[in-house]
Amino acid sequence: MSHDQKGLRRSCFSIAALSLLTVGGVALTSAWADSPREDQTRYGLASGTGPLNTLLINGRPTTLGIAGNSALFVRKIAEAGKTDVLLLTSVGGQACDAQYAIVQVTPQGIKPPTTFFGNCASARPTISGSRITMTFPQIIGRYVVTPAENDTYDLATGTLTKNGKSIPATCRLENGICQG
């Protein structure tokens, strides 16, 4: 066998081995990746994968139904005493990327969720004491972004404010479901 054929054979073997490792690595990574639709609480797995994107705790629908639009993402953001705090993201479509709600999970079940809030832009929560604040940008035109809205939920008092003004905190139910 010529020197060139041996080199080609080694190259082919190396490419094949690298391909298998890459494919195996992706499968392994995706199998271990956390789903944005689920998060673990001390009282069970919270999941936004129920029928019509409803919230489930341990695979069961919550007693107050909560549903997302195109999807419902779930993220545990805090613990306060015996309460786990979830940030729910109702993923919209082209007109509205996301709306948010806060749900408290206790050993007895969930407390009524907040109304879905936000201005359709994406934001991350900041937590200070018992207050959860989300700052949403306002998009003016194509390239200009300015602060537009600060929504704050106070776990201790159950109040929700938008730019410092109180707004209804409890989600209004439609057919027994809090819609995102």
Side-chain angles (χ1 to χ4, degrees):
M1 190 178 281
S2 75
H3 182 62
D4 288 340
Q5 286 177 328
K6 286 182 183 178
L8 180 61
R9 187 180 267 176
R10 280 191 205 127
S11 294
C12 289
F13 178 75
S14 297
I15 290 170
L18 184 58
S19 295
L20 286 173
L21 289 173
T22 303
V23 171
V26 170
L28 191 58
T29 301
S30 65
W32 287 346
D34 291 334
S35 169
R37 298 188 71 168
E38 300 180 332
D39 209 346
Q40 187 66 46
T41 73
R42 291 177 286 178
Y43 311 109
L45 182 68
S47 172
T49 61
L52 300 175
N53 303 309
T54 55
L55 180 66
L56 307 173
I57 304 287
N58 285 332
R60 288 189 228 125
T62 55
T63 53
L64 292 170
I66 304 168
N69 188 1
S70 297
L72 185 65
F73 291 174
V74 178
R75 190 172 102 188
K76 180 178 167 182
I77 58 172
E79 291 180 4
K82 293 185 178 189
T83 300
D84 286 359
V85 182
L86 299 177
L87 178 67
L88 303 180
T89 305
S90 174
V91 178
Q94 293 177 342
C96 185
D97 289 341
Q99 294 274 294
Y100 300 87
I102 295 172
V103 175
Q104 298 179 51
V105 183
T106 69
Q108 292 77 34
I110 66 166
K111 292 184 178 181
T114 67
T115 190
F116 279 86
F117 59 89
N119 67 356
C120 295
S122 296
R124 294 185 178 256
T126 57
I127 301 170
S128 178
S130 69
R131 292 176 178 240
I132 301 165
T133 302
M134 296 184 69
T135 302
F136 299 94
Q138 178 180 14
I139 300 169
I140 304 172
R142 190 172 224 167
Y143 301 103
V144 180
V145 177
T146 60
E149 184 178 310
N150 284 309
D151 293 350
T152 302
Y153 180 68
D154 190 328
L155 291 168
T157 63
T159 58
L160 181 62
T161 60
K162 182 181 300 270
N163 293 330
K165 295 180 182 175
S166 186
I167 61 173
T170 304
C171 192
R172 199 176 93 240
L173 302 179
E174 296 176 27
N175 297 323
I177 296 176
C178 175
Q179 295 283 3

